[in-house]
Amino acid sequence: MKKVILTTYQWLFRRRLAFQTVFDPSKREVKIVLAELAKICPNNPAKGAGSPLDTHQLCINIGRRQVLNHILAMCHLPDEKLNEIVQEENEYGR
């Protein structure tokens, strides 16, 4: 088996294309998943971390948000679009 060496651009493009295929926002199922991820990955990491702040929960929230931000970046999905999806899911998805 011949080993294929990819350039950095090819490597990134393949991953970006895979993310865009898996997280295609035109699919209803993807909208449901993205809305759920937005709920458990808060914009403000202090949200849900209690008062006084639970530093462990704060770190968990930061990590969760990093994962969601990575998905959004790989799919070229802006926060505005995610907010629309969440709002639509809140209004019609229940």
Side-chain angles (χ1 to χ4, degrees):
M1 186 158 110
K2 184 178 178 182
K3 185 175 180 179
V4 178
I5 299 175
L6 300 175
T7 65
T8 302
Y9 175 77
Q10 291 169 324
W11 179 83
L12 182 59
F13 182 75
R14 285 182 61 215
R15 275 150 187 74
R16 196 160 279 201
L17 186 60
F19 270 83
Q20 289 172 349
T21 301
V22 171
F23 290 100
D24 179 2
S26 66
K27 297 176 185 172
R28 182 75 191 131
E29 296 84 2
V30 172
K31 288 182 179 183
I32 293 168
V33 170
L34 287 174
E36 183 66 21
L37 286 174
K39 285 180 189 175
I40 64 170
C41 305
N43 270 336
N44 178 1
K47 182 179 178 183
S51 179
L53 281 179
D54 178 354
T55 55
H56 295 290
Q57 187 61 48
L58 184 65
C59 291
I60 290 168
N61 290 349
I62 290 170
R64 286 177 174 175
R65 189 61 195 191
Q66 284 178 328
V67 170
L68 181 58
N69 286 340
H70 181 72
I71 292 169
L72 297 177
M74 292 298 279
C75 295
H76 290 285
L77 194 65
D79 281 338
E80 295 81 24
K81 180 66 176 170
L82 178 64
N83 292 338
E84 288 175 22
I85 290 170
V86 170
Q87 183 177 359
E88 178 184 318
E89 190 59 31
N90 287 339
E91 291 176 8
Y92 306 111
R94 296 194 185 256

